[in-house]
Amino acid sequence: MSASAATAAPRRRLPRTLVVGLVVVGAIAILAILGPWIAPYDPQGFSMRMRLRPPSAEHWFGTDEFGRDVFSRVLAGAHHSLLMGFGATAISLVIGVPLGLIAAFHRGWVEEVVMRGVDLMISLPPVLLGLLILAVTEPGLFKTVLAVGLVYVPIMTRLARAVALELLAEDFVEAARARGEGAFHILVREILPNAWPPLIVETALRITFAILLGSALSFLGLGPQPPDSEWGLMIAESRPFISEAPWIGLAPGICLCLLLIAVNVVGEGLRDLLDPRMRGRGHG
Amino acid sequence: MAEPLLDIAGLSLAYDTARGAVRALDGVSLAIPRGGAMGLVGESGSGKSSVVLALLGLLGKEATVTADRMSFAGEDLRAAAARLRGARIGTVFQDPAAALNPALRIGAQVAEPLVQHRGLSPRAALARAVELLAEMGIPRPAAVAQAYPHQLSGGMKQRAVIATALACEPELLLLDEPTTALDVTVEAQILDLLEKLRAERGVSMLLVSHNLGIVDRLCDELTVLYAGRVAEAGRTADLLDAPRHPYTRGLLAALPRIDRGRIARLAPIPGSLPDLTQPDPGCNFRPRCPFAAAGCAAPQALRHGDARAVACHRAEAVRDLPWPQPEPVATTRAPPGASLLEAQDLARSFSLDSGFAGMFRRRAEVRAVDGVSLTLRRGEVIGLVGESGCGKSTLGRLVLRLIAADRGRIGFDGEEVPPKPPDAFRRRAQIVFQNPDTSLNPRQTVDQALRRPMERFGLARGAAATAEVERLLALVRLTPAYRTRYPHQMSGGEKQRIGIARALASRPDLLVCDEAVSALDVSVQAAVLNLLGDLRDTLGVAYLFISHDIGVVAHVADRIAVMYRGAIVEEGAAAQVLSPPYHPYTQALLSAVPVVGARGRAAARMRLAGDVFAAPAERGCRFAHRCPAKLGAICEDQAPPVQVPAPGHRIACHIPAAELARAPAALAAAE
């Protein structure tokens, strides 16, 4: 047979949304890391003479009721939100995906136990579930991350199972069975590489929810404790001053929005990039 | 000469894609007279479905249509398509399940165009719909009109779709692969119906199909498309008896034909479709043409001769040159050796409702395979044929122990194969799948896919494995450069060959080929069939060759087993099964196959009512409810005896073998 027209791998152009989102998220991440060094003031330094000052050249985002620089506090709190988003999602991924794969592979009672457990967890509202996990122990950043991560385990498990079920029906899996391959090989070598794209897209979108839920829990006082600065906590603390000094709550609120939108845009961009249905097909 | 009903000249079509403009059609012309039937054939990617969509004006924004002339009964189709379709032009698409709205009753769907175009009241339209359904040969039409699509079988659905297309008495019927999704016996019923409609109503037809046999049966005229251009056009009989364009000749040479029986080798067409983003101004078949010469780079106009048009300047010059036949690889073929696989009384049922529902209801079961015994010798090819749902794929997987059997034993090379077979069995018994798109892991390179079986069974490692991968690629006629390719970088035929190479990587003695060539175009299918034949001859591999295409099976198989609803009803050497005496089901299957060059075969036709999913027979012969030769109560009450009209030939039927032998040969040209 002659060399036939092998369609060259389509050159994948990065979607513009992905690039923009990544730039914003990257910038926020860099600011969060460099925060302690570039902050113009001590985020926890009181200054009673400078209480409730509006944004100005010295205090870009103004000052709060204790005269602390809001810009410095926002910088210091950025890493909390990022850790909350990425850490919690990583936890849900690490626990949820293997559970989902195993449930898909071992139909029968294993699947029933895993999936009914997941159903049980999903039936509780996320905030309530987070509250449940946090209420029994002392609050703190890493507990919040863990709690948010556990809340999203069921969603990852369900998705991983659904994706794996579809892939397990494909002929190449039957070919692996015909070679007498074991569960580990089939799941790790045959299924997982094909399951990544939808999982990554879901993960990216899930980070948004994790940040939001983390901030909500902080708002309720179950995250990092004062005088630590966390965006959700800052918003909670700003409530009494909402009319006289709105910038105290607005600054972390707008930053939170920006981060959420950027992460979401990255998720959308990844979906455009990785979802095979979106990829340009040849002529029919 | 009267003005043709449909007259198209210079139809071109370009799709705007990310890779640039794809020129799907390039100057296509065709004309259908009133009452005429035109066949439009070509392989996938030839643009035949695009013609239908362009006629109907149903192409999206990314398509640019240009034409010198597009007229239907004197009206310009470009302006009037939206008004004419559904009213004066009826359409039937390939998949009846997708054409019908699952949420609406059949009657309402057939009646809809009458309300829409004729302004009938819904009640009158429904009454007319029931008449139409009756005309389509649907039993109990009033009840069917009240049914939802999922309650009907595939053949019934397609009849309903045809009824819808004919509701407004269109002058032209566009049929896009109308029977491709159907079983061969059902396909025969639909073809009969279309033939009758044409005779009674005088409706004109444009039949798009990849199957030359169907076109031969229904159409007076034929247009062959290749990569968006007309290669040859003329009277069907002339074209199929004496094709002139090299592409038409190649298509016919590559076709496995049941009436030719087992010929040594098919002639594949090398290469693949040209890249339509850069249309070749000259003959676009040139790179694949065995007769290509210097003048072929010039644009080829359709040359009109005696009642035919050919787009090839050398057609007459090379008409007496034979189409090149590939040389056989092995000249000597070892006769089938000792017994390799012995399956005894295999059975497997599937529960219809599972899980929660099954706990409360009595479980409904389908006996997919019901007590089948099969023996396969070394280097032997057994063809397993039957309609969809007869259990042939289940049997193939049972034999490999890929699904658990309810009962029965399997012996392989003299040893019992346990339900969880040892690696030695897994190594020696492999499978090739139907769909090349799903049989390879999209994230693995060819090298990874072919290397894994060797590592799994400890056959080769490192450099030795690399050498082995290249040997396998050579075996399936691919260059070592394919090692680094991913599945999406290969064509369907190439992928299928990688699937075969992967199955061969563990040096098996048995291959189960589950519809291994069904998804391929004829020219590629021929190459893969030749390859499978060579591997049997050189490596002594035995095949269980599962296919619904009896032409393909007749070409490859030493022995043929005919399956019906979970049991083998006839089994024997290929020549024995393909000629009388037949089991009545075999006879029906064979006479249903549309064969090229079998005009006037109508006398031998035997038609089955209903389809394979009709009411199950609890005892007696499982074919009794559809059997046209049923003797009477005995067929329904007693299991049929196995008769042996000749050594190795077994027929499970109550009718005496001597009487079965008097059946007319279902294949006109069978020796």
Side-chain angles (χ1 to χ4, degrees):
Chain A
M1 182 120 184
S2 69
S4 66
T7 40
R11 206 181 299 135
R12 288 194 206 163
R13 250 177 288 155
L14 286 179
R16 186 169 299 156
T17 50
L18 181 60
V19 177
V20 171
L22 279 175
V23 166
V24 175
V25 173
I28 292 175
I30 289 168
L31 286 177
I33 293 166
L34 297 180
W37 288 280
I38 59 170
Y41 301 89
D42 175 4
Q44 291 173 19
F46 289 15
S47 172
M48 287 307 163
R49 268 176 301 160
M50 299 292 288
R51 291 177 65 219
L52 302 175
R53 293 288 166 89
S56 64
E58 295 118 75
H59 297 283
W60 292 356
F61 292 174
T63 62
D64 68 2
E65 74 271 24
F66 299 113
R68 295 176 295 192
D69 179 44
V70 174
F71 178 62
S72 301
R73 286 182 65 72
V74 165
L75 274 184
H79 74 279
H80 285 141
S81 289
L82 287 172
L83 264 180
M84 213 94 77
F86 288 89
T89 315
I91 288 171
S92 65
L93 206 60
V94 166
I95 301 176
V97 170
L99 273 180
L101 292 184
I102 290 168
F105 190 81
H106 296 284
R107 313 298 306 271
W109 69 267
V110 176
E111 186 185 29
E112 289 294 316
V113 168
V114 171
M115 296 322 289
R116 294 302 80 79
V118 159
D119 287 348
L120 200 70
M121 279 179 83
I122 255 173
S123 64
L124 295 170
V127 173
L128 195 62
L129 191 56
L131 281 175
L132 261 178
I133 297 169
L134 287 172
V136 292
T137 53
E138 294 263 300
L141 172 64
F142 289 99
K143 295 243 181 66
T144 316
V145 171
L146 187 67
V148 174
L150 288 179
V151 165
Y152 289 126
V153 161
I155 290 170
M156 284 300 164
T157 306
R158 277 194 167 178
L159 179 69
R161 172 174 165 274
V163 173
L165 275 182
E166 207 171 298
L167 289 166
L168 280 165
E170 301 259 342
D171 289 339
F172 62 82
V173 173
E174 189 151 42
R177 289 186 203 273
R179 289 197 301 272
E181 303 279 11
F184 185 79
H185 175 93
I186 291 181
L187 288 178
V188 175
R189 302 288 293 278
E190 306 280 350
I191 300 296
L192 206 49
N194 290 294
W196 273 130
L199 288 176
I200 286 176
V201 170
E202 177 64 25
T203 302
L205 295 176
R206 195 49 54 189
I207 289 171
T208 329
F209 290 92
I211 294 172
L212 211 53
L213 179 57
S215 294
L217 289 172
S218 294
F219 181 89
L220 295 173
L222 292 165
Q225 296 298 300
D228 232 354
S229 61
E230 202 281 340
W231 293 352
L233 185 62
M234 286 172 75
I235 296 172
E237 287 170 348
S238 78
R239 268 189 311 167
F241 312 98
I242 193 84
S243 53
E244 32 185 325
W247 54 87
I248 308 178
L250 270 182
I254 289 171
C255 288
L256 192 59
C257 273
L258 196 66
L259 178 62
L260 295 182
I261 292 171
V263 169
N264 226 330
V265 163
V266 170
E268 301 274 345
L270 278 175
R271 177 160 56 201
D272 289 352
L273 185 70
L274 295 173
D275 194 328
R277 277 167 300 182
M278 305 297 230
R279 214 175 287 160
R281 296 219 181 132
H283 47 89
Chain B
M1 189 179 146
E3 189 192 338
L5 179 68
L6 181 75
D7 190 6
I8 294 164
L11 174 64
S12 295
L13 166 63
Y15 290 107
D16 203 13
T17 70
R19 297 191 298 126
V22 170
R23 208 165 169 75
L25 294 176
D26 189 1
V28 171
S29 300
L30 52 90
I32 304 177
R34 271 184 196 279
M38 162 77 81
L40 194 58
V41 301
E43 294 179 291
S44 47
S46 63
K48 50 194 192 304
S49 291
S50 293
V51 171
V52 171
L53 295 177
L55 288 180
L56 292 169
L58 287 177
L59 288 161
K61 271 200 197 103
E62 66 282 357
T64 320
V65 181
T66 54
D68 301 334
R69 190 168 62 246
M70 260 176 102
S71 76
F72 172 80
E75 290 198 69
D76 189 348
L77 260 181
R78 278 164 293 193
R83 185 164 44 83
L84 293 173
R85 64 179 184 236
R88 293 175 68 188
I89 302 178
T91 316
V92 177
F93 289 111
Q94 175 170 346
D95 187 357
L100 292 170
N101 184 336
L104 296 180
R105 292 179 196 275
I106 295 289
Q109 301 194 47
V110 177
E112 193 192 337
L114 290 168
V115 178
Q116 184 83 24
H117 296 286
R118 290 275 164 109
L120 261 64
S121 71
R123 184 182 296 269
L126 195 60
R128 176 76 189 117
V130 173
E131 285 171 36
L132 279 164
L133 290 172
E135 206 181 324
M136 298 309 128
I138 291 179
R140 298 186 298 122
V144 168
Q146 290 301 311
Y148 287 97
H150 72 269
Q151 294 170 302
L152 302 187
S153 67
M156 285 299 146
K157 275 186 232 166
Q158 195 63 308
R159 283 171 199 265
V161 172
I162 294 173
T164 313
L166 287 174
C168 294
E169 319 259 325
E171 290 132 276
L172 177 67
L173 204 51
L174 301 179
L175 305 153
D176 189 355
E177 304 269 10
T179 59
T180 307
L182 305 174
D183 270 318
V184 65
T185 54
V186 181
E187 170 181 83
Q189 297 166 13
I190 297 291
L191 293 179
D192 289 346
L193 171 66
L194 290 173
E195 219 167 35
K196 186 181 96 160
L197 288 172
R198 208 188 137 202
E200 288 175 3
R201 292 178 165 228
V203 60
S204 310
M205 292 180 184
L206 178 65
L207 174 70
V208 172
S209 181
H210 69 284
N211 187 329
L212 290 169
I214 292 174
V215 175
D216 191 24
R217 239 196 87 182
L218 280 181
C219 302
D220 330 310
E221 285 190 83
L222 181 60
T223 299
V224 180
L225 276 188
Y226 177 75
R229 293 183 196 164
V230 174
E232 188 167 3
R235 295 196 57 79
T236 308
D238 300 347
L239 232 66
L240 293 180
D241 288 344
R244 288 282 184 275
H245 193 283
Y247 176 63
T248 323
R249 290 175 63 181
L251 264 189
L252 283 161
L255 193 66
R257 287 165 64 170
I258 187 169
D259 53 325
R260 284 196 288 189
R262 191 165 168 163
I263 59 165
R265 282 170 82 77
L266 302 165
I269 306 176
S272 54
L273 280 180
D275 181 4
L276 293 174
T277 52
Q278 271 121 29
D280 189 338
C283 172
N284 56 5
F285 185 60
R286 174 168 47 122
R288 305 174 70 183
C289 182
F291 307 122
C296 294
Q300 300 294 319
L302 268 179
R303 280 147 220 270
H304 293 266
D306 41 337
R308 94 157 79 192
V310 184
C312 177
H313 68 115
R314 303 196 70 211
E316 289 307 313
V318 298
R319 66 182 279 187
D320 294 323
L321 290 181
W323 185 264
Q325 286 291 324
E327 309 113 59
V329 170
T331 43
T332 53
R333 207 191 134 215
S339 156
L340 179 69
L341 177 84
E342 270 178 68
Q344 272 174 19
D345 194 31
L346 283 180
R348 169 73 198 217
S349 309
F350 292 104
S351 158
L352 284 184
D353 34 38
S354 58
F356 228 48
M359 289 156 81
F360 299 105
R361 257 182 280 164
R362 217 194 85 210
R363 286 184 184 226
E365 281 192 336
V366 174
R367 277 185 249 161
V369 171
D370 192 9
V372 167
S373 300
L374 197 70
T375 306
L376 186 59
R377 292 187 289 168
R378 281 176 187 281
E380 186 177 46
V381 180
I382 290 192
L384 194 58
V385 296
E387 291 167 287
S388 56
C390 73
K392 52 193 193 303
S393 286
T394 305
L395 179 60
R397 279 158 178 75
L398 281 178
V399 156
L400 291 177
R401 292 281 195 210
L402 280 174
I403 51 180
D406 294 341
R407 61 162 204 268
R409 301 173 47 174
I410 297 168
F412 188 78
D413 207 8
E415 282 180 37
E416 174 93 15
V417 182
K420 290 213 185 309
D423 280 356
F425 174 77
R426 290 281 182 227
R427 183 187 75 70
R428 294 180 62 187
Q430 281 291 319
I431 181 164
V432 178
F433 299 95
Q434 167 170 12
N435 190 340
D437 293 320
T438 64
S439 66
L440 300 179
N441 189 329
R443 304 265 161 182
Q444 287 179 0
T445 61
V446 167
D447 189 69
Q448 287 170 321
L450 297 186
R451 203 176 275 262
R452 177 62 198 170
M454 297 172 213
E455 287 170 358
R456 170 82 183 76
F457 299 112
L459 299 174
R461 251 170 222 295
T466 308
E468 185 69 9
V469 167
E470 291 183 1
R471 188 188 70 87
L472 286 167
L473 285 174
L475 209 56
V476 295
R477 316 262 182 286
L478 294 172
T479 60
Y482 278 81
R483 268 179 51 201
T484 56
R485 295 234 180 135
Y486 282 93
H488 73 268
Q489 296 169 314
M490 295 185 285
S491 71
E494 287 165 345
K495 276 184 267 191
Q496 194 64 344
R497 280 185 274 174
I498 297 297
I500 293 170
R502 178 183 59 192
L504 291 172
S506 60
R507 301 178 179 253
D509 298 306
L510 168 67
L511 274 191
V512 171
C513 298
D514 188 3
E515 303 274 5
V517 296
S518 306
L520 305 175
D521 271 321
V522 176
S523 62
V524 180
Q525 172 183 293
V528 173
L529 284 176
N530 284 346
L531 170 68
L532 289 173
D534 295 343
L535 294 174
R536 190 229 5 239
D537 295 348
T538 52
L539 305 179
V541 182
Y543 298 108
L544 180 61
F545 196 94
I546 300 168
S547 181
H548 70 281
D549 186 334
I550 298 162
V552 168
V553 168
H555 174 72
V556 296
D558 301 301
R559 286 201 298 140
I560 296 178
V562 182
M563 239 180 132
Y564 187 77
R565 297 225 349 245
I568 291 177
V569 296
E570 180 170 358
E571 187 193 349
Q576 291 172 333
V577 174
L578 294 178
S579 55
Y582 300 119
H583 187 279
Y585 178 61
T586 315
Q587 188 185 350
L589 265 188
L590 291 176
S591 66
V593 180
V595 178
V596 172
R599 287 168 289 271
R601 207 160 55 99
R605 267 182 215 153
M606 172 163 151
R607 290 290 178 261
L608 296 182
D611 58 36
V612 74
F613 300 107
E618 289 293 327
R619 46 217 168 101
C621 176
R622 54 197 79 221
F623 184 55
H625 64 292
R626 281 175 85 194
C627 185
K630 193 167 97 177
L631 291 176
I634 185 172
C635 291
E636 278 163 8
D637 295 338
Q638 288 175 32
V642 174
Q643 306 182 58
V644 185
H649 189 192
R650 298 186 300 160
I651 300 176
C653 187
H654 286 292
I655 304 171
E659 196 158 321
L660 289 175
R662 281 200 288 275
L667 302 169
E671 292 99 317

